[in-house]
């Protein structure tokens, strides 16, 4: 119930008792004595500009919240945070004219260098080589379709550029994180599409899934397009695992206990699954 946006309801989980048990374990046991933990990654919003204008974007590039980062800004960040991972993002970070220079400076200072991108400029192999030569180690590429699943917001040209970008990342053996954005009643099977792609492509190291968020330009979409993490886990369980749903809650209790013991901070309430790749399949 929000004073600005009114009242609405969204489903947290189809697995009420299991979810409530996990929720209680996380917040009333693991997080009872709240510690932020160690931060392992800092996200650098280097530009508010983007080469796409998505109606479903959680930001509004027409009314940016930040300015383009300049060299003094970047040097200030380097001096404050040591030995972490930098994720260069935006807007679209590949539009920043000094991105390669910033990656190089970060690597020399001992940082891991990652970019979070829509992938369009990475369809240019020469440009991607420039970033790799500067020290780029990881790429997080956002997707909503890889061609098999039609997504009405994008035409084939954008999908084809993303697929070309993935081919280039594979050819240069750059660690890649697929970052699918899932919209309820729209492209849920894109998550399975990403898993199938990762099964036979070892350069894909992670799949970091986000549900659609009703904010920014995304407010043009119905609130019903929002999907919660547990619903996303349902999709994987129903289409890929075929096991007992309760086992995934037990797994997450173990994983979050370990994360808590080694004192790592997570940015969001997250469910985590671990896949093993064998003979072109994921288990």
């Amino acid at each position: 119930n929000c004073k600005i946006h009114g009242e609405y309801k969204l489903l947290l989980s189809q697995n009420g008792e299991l979810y409530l048990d996990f929720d209680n374990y996380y917040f009333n046991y693991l997080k009872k004595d709240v510690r932020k933990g160690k931060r392992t990654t800092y996200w650098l919003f280097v530009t508010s500009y983007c080469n796409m204008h998505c109606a479903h974007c959680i930001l509004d590039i027409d009314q940016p919240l930040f300015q383009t980062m300049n060299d003094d800004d970047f040097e200030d960040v380097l001096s404050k945070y040591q030995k972490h991972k930098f994720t260069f993002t935006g807007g679209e970070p590949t539009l920043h004219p000094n991105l390669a220079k910033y990656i190089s400076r970060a690597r020399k200072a001992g940082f891991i260098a990652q970019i979070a991108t829509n992938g369009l400029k990475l369809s240019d192999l020469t440009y991607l080589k420039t970033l790799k030569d500067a020290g780029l180690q990881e790429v997080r590429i956002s997707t909503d379709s890889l061609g098999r699943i039609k997504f009405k917001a994008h035409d084939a040209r954008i999908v084809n550029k993303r697929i070309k970008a993935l081919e280039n990342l594979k050819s240069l053996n750059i660690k890649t994180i697929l970052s699918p954005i899932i919209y309820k009643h729209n492209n849920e099977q894109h998550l399975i599409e990403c898993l199938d792609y990762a099964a036979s492509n070892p350069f894909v190291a992670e799949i970091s899934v986000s549900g659609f968020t009703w904010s920014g330009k995304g407010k043009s979409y119905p609130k019903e397009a929002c999907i919660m993490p547990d619903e996303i886990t349902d999709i994987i369980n129903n289409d890929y695992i075929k096991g007992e749903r309760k086992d995934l809650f037990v797994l997450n209790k173990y994983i979050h206990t370990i994360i808590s013991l080694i004192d790592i901070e997570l940015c969001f309430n997250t469910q985590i699954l671990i896949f093993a790749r064998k003979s072109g399949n994921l288990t």
Side-chain angles (χ1 to χ4, degrees):
N1 187 358
C2 175
K3 293 179 180 179
I4 299 174
H5 303 110
E7 181 177 317
Y8 56 96
K9 294 181 180 180
L10 292 171
L11 181 70
L12 284 176
S13 174
Q14 296 274 11
N15 312 283
E17 292 184 4
L18 291 168
Y19 185 87
L20 182 60
D21 175 66
F22 177 49
D23 192 68
N24 285 332
Y25 179 76
Y26 185 83
F27 287 105
N28 297 329
Y29 181 71
L30 287 184
K31 299 297 181 181
K32 187 175 181 180
D33 299 318
V34 178
R35 295 180 300 171
K36 284 190 173 182
K38 296 188 290 288
R39 294 183 181 181
T40 58
T41 303
Y42 285 89
W43 287 62
L44 274 59
F45 292 80
V46 295
T47 180
S48 60
Y49 295 108
C50 188
N51 49 2
M52 296 181 66
H53 210 274
C54 303
H56 54 281
C57 183
I58 64 172
L59 299 175
D60 187 347
I61 61 172
D62 295 326
Q63 302 180 49
L65 299 173
F66 49 89
Q67 297 176 328
T68 296
M69 180 174 281
N70 60 38
D71 292 358
D72 290 338
D73 295 330
F74 183 70
E75 291 299 328
D76 184 53
V77 171
L78 275 182
S79 67
K80 287 182 178 178
Y81 308 109
Q82 296 297 319
K83 309 299 182 184
H84 289 85
K85 179 188 291 185
F86 274 168
T87 299
F88 296 90
T89 186
E92 173 51 43
T94 58
L95 297 186
H96 197 294
N98 292 335
L99 178 61
K101 182 173 78 171
Y102 291 170
I103 289 171
S104 178
R105 287 283 294 115
R107 291 292 297 122
K108 289 175 182 176
F111 290 86
I112 296 171
Q114 180 189 90
I115 61 171
T117 174
N118 59 34
L120 298 192
K121 284 197 68 174
L122 304 190
S123 62
D124 180 345
L125 182 60
T126 301
Y127 175 73
L128 181 56
K129 284 180 177 177
T130 299
L131 296 184
K132 183 178 182 182
D133 290 344
L136 178 66
Q137 295 161 285
E138 301 177 6
V139 170
R140 177 184 292 265
I141 184 167
S142 60
T143 65
D144 36 48
S145 171
L146 293 178
R148 195 172 78 192
I149 306 301
K150 300 299 181 184
F151 184 59
K152 61 184 180 182
H154 293 326
D155 61 28
R157 290 173 298 174
I158 290 173
V159 175
N160 289 339
K161 278 196 169 186
R162 283 208 178 112
I163 293 172
K164 178 60 177 175
L166 288 170
E167 291 172 354
N168 290 342
L169 289 163
K170 181 177 181 178
S171 71
L172 297 179
N173 196 30
I174 296 174
K175 178 182 176 180
T176 299
I177 296 92
L178 295 180
S179 187
I181 305 170
I182 305 301
Y183 304 80
K184 197 170 184 177
H185 308 310
N186 194 318
N187 73 334
E188 291 103 321
Q189 286 303 302
H190 174 51
L191 177 53
I192 305 306
E193 183 183 35
C194 287
L195 285 164
D196 291 347
Y197 183 86
S200 55
N201 287 285
F203 78 99
V204 177
E206 299 176 33
I207 299 178
S208 178
V209 191
S210 298
F212 163 69
T213 302
W214 195 75
S215 66
K217 284 194 171 296
K219 290 179 184 177
S220 65
Y221 272 55
K223 299 183 184 78
E224 290 74 22
C226 292
I227 184 168
M228 298 296 107
D230 204 50
E231 294 182 277
I232 290 172
T233 304
D234 280 341
I235 296 169
I236 299 173
N237 187 68
N238 292 338
D239 286 63
Y240 227 87
I241 299 176
K242 309 296 184 184
E244 291 287 333
R245 185 62 173 84
K246 64 181 180 181
D247 292 342
L248 300 186
F249 284 99
V250 174
L251 172 66
N252 269 271
K253 282 186 177 180
Y254 278 116
I255 291 173
H256 283 283
T257 300
I258 292 169
I259 290 171
S260 179
L261 287 173
I262 61 178
D263 200 27
I264 298 295
E265 180 187 20
L266 295 178
C267 295
F268 304 104
N269 298 338
T270 303
Q271 293 197 33
I272 301 171
L273 302 178
I274 300 170
F275 287 86
R277 186 184 285 112
K278 183 177 180 181
S279 302
N281 294 302
L282 293 181
T283 303

